[in-house]
Amino acid sequence: VAPPCRPRSLPVNVIMGCGTSKDVFGPADVLSTAPPGGKAEILMMTPPPSAPPPVTYTSAEGETVSVPEVNFIDHLDSYGTYRFRGTEAGTYLAKQGLEPSVLDDPSWTTECPDKVAKALMEWAKDKGATMVTHWFQPLGSAGIRRGQTGQVHNAMFNFGKDGRIEWTFDGGDLLKGETDGSSYMNGGMRATHTAGGYTVLDPSSPMWVRGDTLFVPTIFVSYYGKALDEKTPLLRAMQAVSKAGVRLLKLLGHECKSVFPNIGLEQEFFLIPKSAFKKRPDLQLAGRTVMGCDAPRGQELCDHYMSPLNAAALRCMKEMQHECFKMGIPLKTRHREVAPNQYECAPFFGLATAQIDENLVVMELMEEIADKHNLVCLLAEKPFKGINGSGKHNNFSLGTESGLNLFNGPQLQKVAGNNDAFPVIMAAVGKAVH
């Protein structure tokens, strides 16, 4: 098995063929699950149908499973309503004497946290939530496994002396929390009385409800403020970029209050039949193949990229988008990718911290929803040898609070009135990245 820094693996045999089968999946794909020297079991997969796709499939146990068909037009009124921001939050904030825009200024965390917490709790209850979690991003497992989230779910109510429920969620509960930090990075090196981990709300990222739980994005630090997560270093870096960017723009002829990164993350992934996945211990344990035969045919004909979505993948991706839209995640684009059975969903761009939070939610949703459709979603960077891996292209730019895009030369030149502004900024970015 190759070291994690240079993933090398062999694929399940993926070739392109033709024909039809009861297993509706690929673009006339054929998937072989043969181990080395073993007898191949070929799973035939039908091309995209011209009629509306079926909404049932036969499970491995021979049972007929129904998968609801999602039509976006039928749910437009619910989209964005599971995210506490803007108009959705405004109704509840108004009952506490607050303006909807109060969440746009982080000063609310010191000026009116109890009022915001009360509005948030009432909104969450109306959405069916009774639990709350401080949701954070612990450091990747020794740098090997990324994209993890940490969460401890707590009830927003307790029982009074009379045995009746009392709602107990205030500003203190919203802003910070304490949990065990001893099992995170270097936890064993910290003294027992300082081994705790502390969560602190990140006001730059919206809160949302999923299921019965209110998710509050936070950072995660040690007793002495050392970062135990991926987000704290990002926020510190954004603060440094803003400070230097504001200073540089002033010297170039434009004054602003802040400079911040906008990003858009393109999430690529593979969808494979669950029956094939269960025959591959390497896929189950490592998320990628580490043995097997080279594919007799891969992506040589370039006939998969951007071709029509097949029935099973389309149903699955529509439900992924549907769940994201409910939480205000703008998962705008869907299409096939280069490798057989590889796909991509991409959002509309936004602030870096919020976009990363949303992407982690998207990854979790993809795995859960694929399972409902008798598929398995592979998010590993290189699950198969000889065909494209799944990248996550990070399209980024720097902007100001007025909407100025520093990577837009004509726009920057017009605002700053300085022909040197754009090349100076690009030189600075190039130097920093390099």
Side-chain angles (χ1 to χ4, degrees):
V1 179
C5 58
R6 295 185 61 192
R8 297 166 54 197
S9 56
L10 300 177
V12 288
N13 293 344
V14 180
I15 62 174
M16 306 295 286
C18 60
T20 61
S21 170
K22 294 180 180 178
D23 295 301
V24 180
F25 178 68
D29 296 356
V30 181
L31 178 64
S32 170
T33 58
K39 183 178 179 180
E41 178 179 347
I42 304 299
L43 303 177
M44 301 300 296
M45 302 172 188
T46 64
S50 56
V55 293
T56 61
Y57 67 86
T58 303
S59 69
E61 293 76 22
E63 299 178 351
T64 300
V65 180
S66 176
V67 180
E69 182 72 11
V70 175
N71 293 308
F72 299 154
I73 198 69
D74 298 332
H75 301 277
L76 295 181
D77 290 342
S78 69
Y79 290 161
T81 61
Y82 286 78
R83 174 175 176 163
F84 194 70
R85 186 59 65 92
T87 303
E88 181 64 22
T91 302
Y92 296 86
L93 291 169
K95 294 178 182 178
Q96 305 301 320
L98 302 173
E99 294 292 329
S101 59
V102 69
L103 298 178
D104 298 333
D105 185 348
S107 64
W108 71 262
T109 57
T110 57
E111 295 176 357
C112 53
D114 287 326
K115 290 184 178 181
V116 171
K118 188 171 183 179
L120 180 63
M121 182 181 67
E122 293 302 322
W123 170 78
K125 286 164 58 179
D126 287 349
K127 293 301 178 185
T130 55
M131 308 293 288
V132 61
T133 182
H134 276 195
W135 185 81
F136 59 95
Q137 302 159 25
L139 289 169
S141 303
I144 297 174
R145 185 183 176 194
R146 303 289 185 180
Q148 300 178 92
T149 64
Q151 47 194 283
V152 176
H153 296 206
N154 292 299
M156 290 190 287
F157 60 85
N158 209 333
F159 293 91
K161 293 181 180 180
D162 60 358
R164 294 182 178 276
I165 286 178
E166 295 179 352
W167 293 94
T168 57
F169 184 72
D170 58 21
D173 299 321
L174 173 61
L175 295 182
K176 59 184 179 181
E178 178 180 356
T179 188
D180 177 21
S182 62
S183 294
Y184 286 99
M185 303 295 286
N186 304 318
M189 299 174 63
R190 295 191 287 274
T192 302
H193 67 287
T194 61
Y198 301 85
T199 55
V200 181
L201 177 136
D202 170 20
S204 71
S205 188
M207 294 163 276
W208 72 92
V209 163
R210 185 172 180 229
D212 71 342
T213 305
L214 168 64
F215 288 81
V216 180
T218 66
I219 62 172
F220 187 52
V221 296
S222 71
Y223 183 85
Y224 291 108
K226 301 293 185 181
L228 298 177
D229 65 343
E230 305 280 1
K231 178 178 275 193
T232 301
L234 171 64
L235 289 171
R236 290 171 177 169
M238 288 171 61
Q239 187 177 43
V241 167
S242 181
K243 181 179 179 181
V246 168
R247 179 170 174 263
L248 176 59
L249 284 174
K250 184 176 181 179
L251 294 173
L252 292 172
H254 176 65
E255 294 196 22
C256 63
K257 296 180 180 179
S258 63
V259 173
F260 49 84
N262 286 314
I263 66 172
L265 295 167
E266 303 176 15
Q267 182 65 58
E268 297 176 0
F269 56 97
F270 283 85
L271 290 174
I272 64 173
K274 193 183 297 183
S275 58
F277 176 79
K278 288 182 176 179
K279 296 176 181 178
R280 296 300 301 248
D282 47 0
L283 279 179
Q284 295 176 50
L285 298 175
R288 59 192 176 112
T289 52
V290 295
M291 59 180 290
C293 304
D294 285 333
R297 183 181 167 250
Q299 57 196 50
E300 293 85 355
L301 297 182
C302 302
D303 51 356
H304 190 264
Y305 192 36
M306 297 188 186
S307 61
L309 292 164
N310 65 65
L314 178 59
R315 286 199 304 270
C316 182
M317 294 175 75
K318 284 174 69 175
E319 187 171 352
M320 292 174 182
Q321 288 181 289
H322 169 68
E323 291 297 326
C324 287
F325 292 158
K326 287 167 60 178
M327 292 180 286
I329 300 174
L331 206 59
K332 192 175 179 66
T333 301
R334 67 186 184 211
H335 64 86
R336 287 187 188 271
E337 260 300 332
V338 175
N341 299 333
Q342 186 184 35
Y343 303 88
E344 177 182 302
C345 284
F348 194 74
F349 71 90
L351 184 67
T353 49
Q355 281 284 306
I356 292 172
D357 287 354
E358 291 174 1
N359 179 251
L360 292 174
V361 174
V362 169
M363 292 168 66
E364 183 177 328
L365 280 170
M366 285 178 168
E367 292 182 325
E368 294 179 6
I369 292 173
D371 182 70
K372 292 170 57 179
H373 290 258
N374 207 31
L375 304 173
V376 174
C377 176
L378 300 180
L379 294 168
E381 292 88 347
K382 189 69 173 177
F384 304 117
K385 177 187 175 184
I387 58 176
N388 276 32
S390 294
K392 189 173 338 196
H393 300 138
N394 182 4
N395 305 281
F396 85 103
S397 64
L398 295 173
T400 69
E401 75 280 357
S402 65
L404 173 62
N405 182 355
L406 302 187
F407 288 7
N408 186 322
Q411 185 184 37
L412 178 59
Q413 180 181 348
K414 180 179 179 180
V415 171
N418 186 339
N419 292 335
D420 296 330
F422 181 68
V424 167
I425 288 176
M426 294 310 298
V429 172
K431 176 65 175 178
V433 173
H434 181 70

